[in-house]
Amino acid sequence: SQKIEQNSEALNIQEGKTATLTCNYTNYSPAYLQWYRQDPGRGPVFLLLIRENEKEKRKERLKVTFDTTLKQSLFHITASQPADSATYLCAPMNTGFQKLVFGTGTRLLVSP
Amino acid sequence: DVKVTQSSRYLVKRTGEKVFLECVQDMDHENMFWYRQDPGLGLRLIYFSYDVKMKEKGDIPEGYSVSREKKERFSLILESASTNQTSMYLCASSSRDRGVQPQHFGDGTRLSIL
């Protein structure tokens, strides 16, 4: 069955450093991969989408990579800030109807 | 900005009750989704709809039904609530415009079944 793995342990980093979050998937060949941010008590908010033929996508301080050989996506936040503290969810997606399967998320804590 | 509104932030019901969770979106989106989110299990898709009066089962539809009588509104129904349905329920919508579109989520309903 399809499996999406994100590190369940929280990632603690210091302000100003680069945070790197990992999303691995198995038994799956997604055409796209989306990343969302979720704050406590709120719904997820869309951040970035990357296609299988794109190696890398950037948006301001965010960068996402997509390696279909390794079956992995990496999500980077450069110059991290305490306001970046949240849970980050990856969601691979096939073509066709836009149904997402979400990973369980990784909690990021950025200390001042 | 897209707004997805869920009718209640917190809800407490009793075992065996019929429970209705309502979701309204204001962006004329064709697709709507219901998820539940539990610690360690992440977001799991219960039902989705790609048009008025259309519905499809997601990964965990047992014990739930849905209704979509109007484009903007998607209701989740717990036919006979049970304690294992205590969870955070999230509604989302997305456009069917050309290309892959993100999902827009409401802030959730935290449902407790006693």
Side-chain angles (χ1 to χ4, degrees):
Chain A
S1 60
Q2 295 171 352
K3 196 172 178 184
I4 301 156
E5 290 181 327
Q6 294 186 256
N7 195 340
S8 58
E9 290 183 16
L11 178 63
N12 287 276
I13 64 167
Q14 236 178 342
E15 184 175 7
K17 302 289 187 188
T18 296
T20 299
L21 308 176
T22 305
C23 175
N24 295 300
Y25 55 91
T26 53
N27 298 324
Y28 209 168
S29 296
Y32 310 90
L33 199 143
Q34 300 189 17
W35 281 88
Y36 288 76
R37 169 188 172 135
Q38 187 174 22
D39 291 288
R42 309 295 299 270
V45 175
F46 171 75
L47 294 174
L48 277 170
L49 176 147
I50 187 166
R51 293 171 170 75
E52 62 179 339
N53 60 354
E54 296 176 315
K55 295 293 184 191
E56 183 180 296
K57 194 84 169 277
R58 291 175 185 263
K59 180 182 174 184
E60 297 171 355
R61 294 185 296 111
L62 308 181
K63 184 179 87 172
V64 172
T65 62
F66 193 6
D67 189 326
T68 55
T69 303
L70 290 178
K71 293 186 178 293
Q72 180 181 80
S73 175
L74 298 179
F75 178 83
H76 306 272
I77 306 175
T78 58
S80 59
Q81 304 165 0
D84 295 326
S85 298
T87 296
Y88 292 86
L89 307 169
C90 72
M93 180 178 169
N94 289 321
T95 53
F97 183 73
Q98 296 177 17
K99 178 182 158 186
L100 293 172
V101 180
F102 284 88
T104 53
T106 298
R107 190 169 172 219
L108 173 66
L109 298 168
V110 181
S111 305
Chain B
D1 263 1
V2 176
K3 193 160 176 64
V4 178
T5 303
Q6 294 186 230
S7 52
S8 306
R9 290 300 305 273
Y10 301 93
L11 206 53
V12 179
K13 296 291 183 181
R14 296 211 173 271
T15 304
E17 280 192 70
K18 191 168 185 176
V19 181
F20 294 85
L21 302 183
E22 305 287 345
C23 175
V24 177
Q25 49 95 2
D26 67 357
M27 278 301 291
D28 204 36
H29 283 169
E30 293 82 5
N31 306 324
M32 295 189 76
F33 307 83
W34 274 107
Y35 297 87
R36 64 177 283 177
Q37 186 173 31
D38 301 286
L41 296 176
L43 279 151
R44 292 181 291 165
L45 182 63
I46 304 171
Y47 267 97
F48 60 97
S49 167
Y50 52 87
D51 206 344
V52 176
K53 297 195 186 294
M54 306 302 289
K55 60 184 179 185
E56 295 285 342
K57 292 180 180 179
D59 300 315
I60 51 163
E62 297 79 18
Y64 303 94
S65 63
V66 289
S67 171
R68 189 147 181 223
E69 296 297 316
K70 293 185 177 182
K71 192 175 185 181
E72 68 270 18
R73 187 180 295 270
F74 193 34
S75 303
L76 179 70
I77 303 150
L78 285 65
E79 297 291 343
S80 177
S82 64
T83 54
N84 63 10
Q85 292 178 309
T86 291
S87 186
M88 169 71 94
Y89 289 88
L90 288 157
C91 173
S93 72
S94 70
S95 168
R96 225 171 41 217
D97 284 350
R98 185 179 173 183
V100 176
Q101 301 294 331
Q103 292 188 12
H104 300 267
F105 284 82
D107 280 336
T109 295
R110 187 165 291 283
L111 175 65
S112 296
I113 308 294
L114 305 180

